Amino acid sequence: MCGVSLLPAELFLILAAIGGYLLGSIPFGLVLVKLAGLGDIRTVGSGNIGATNVLRTGRKDLALATLVLDSGKAGIAALIFTFAVSPTAGLIAGGAAFLGHCFPVWLGFKGGKGVATFLGVLLAVLWPVGLLVCATWLGMALVFRISSLSALTASAVAPVLALAFMRPDVALLALFLAGLLWWRHKENIARLVRGEEPRIGAKKA
């Protein structure tokens, strides 16, 4: 026979990638702010569609809902394909959801920075590490009150924690996603170096 035929397992992995990406690309922050009659979140603060920028609208409820939904969409994608196909498919779906959030096709591939989706993936594929990473974010946020610094620190420890739990597959995914997350935060890093990064809840000009 001519050509290369895909095995069913390979087809499922492709479906995991596509399904995870499409689910992750739902811009909940944008949708919630518009439904609340507050306009386009991309015109507020940093222009980001994530929970931190939604908080700059003054609506803590919308920011919390955005955080939960952005985290949940990645976690749901990972869990569905983990139980329906395999743990590998779950990792692919979760990683693809992260990419969908950061680069959504519906918004010209200009999305969020991936913090909530990063946490959602970890909570779904290896919940002890997910909880420890969340605790790291929370601890840093309580001490320094800088969302980006909290996210950068939490993402940096995630691969190390995954290795400590003897999950090199999760560590590899966490390392890849953390690298993207740091790249998405390059402007924040520059402001951190200059001491100009805004505090949590501050309305960025």
Side-chain angles (χ1 to χ4, degrees):
M1 293 179 65
C2 296
V4 178
S5 59
L6 291 175
L7 296 174
E10 293 171 324
L11 285 173
F12 280 124
L13 295 182
I14 292 173
L15 287 175
I18 295 173
Y21 174 83
L22 292 176
L23 188 56
S25 66
I26 301 173
F28 284 113
L30 178 66
V31 172
L32 291 174
V33 171
K34 280 193 174 182
L35 289 177
L38 299 176
D40 192 332
I41 187 60
R42 293 171 293 182
T43 65
V44 176
S46 65
N48 193 267
I49 63 172
T52 300
N53 200 44
V54 172
L55 186 60
R56 295 190 177 107
T57 65
R59 290 287 301 271
K60 294 181 180 180
D61 56 336
L62 293 180
L64 178 60
T66 301
L67 176 66
V68 172
L69 291 170
D70 281 348
S71 176
K73 65 186 180 184
I76 288 172
L79 288 174
I80 286 175
F81 284 95
T82 293
F83 288 106
V85 183
S86 68
T88 298
L91 291 175
I92 290 174
F98 179 92
L99 293 175
H101 178 77
C102 294
F103 310 103
V105 63
W106 328 112
L107 303 180
F109 303 102
K110 297 178 181 179
K113 295 180 179 178
V115 179
T117 50
F118 181 84
L119 296 176
V121 172
L122 290 178
L123 286 169
V125 301
L126 190 56
W127 66 264
V129 167
L131 288 179
L132 289 172
V133 172
C134 287
T136 301
W137 186 98
L138 182 60
M140 291 293 294
L142 290 173
V143 173
F144 296 100
R145 297 196 59 78
I146 301 177
S147 179
S148 60
L149 179 62
S150 304
L152 292 168
T153 304
S155 64
V157 304
V160 179
L161 290 172
L163 283 177
F165 277 81
M166 308 300 289
R167 287 293 303 272
D169 54 343
V170 177
L172 185 60
L173 176 65
L175 182 62
F176 172 68
L177 298 186
L180 282 176
L181 190 148
W182 274 64
W183 179 72
R184 297 286 290 172
H185 281 78
K186 57 185 180 295
E187 293 179 0
N188 303 83
I189 294 172
R191 287 194 295 269
L192 283 169
V193 172
R194 297 193 302 266
E196 299 173 356
E197 186 72 340
R199 303 277 174 169
I200 293 175
K203 292 186 176 181
K204 182 180 175 182

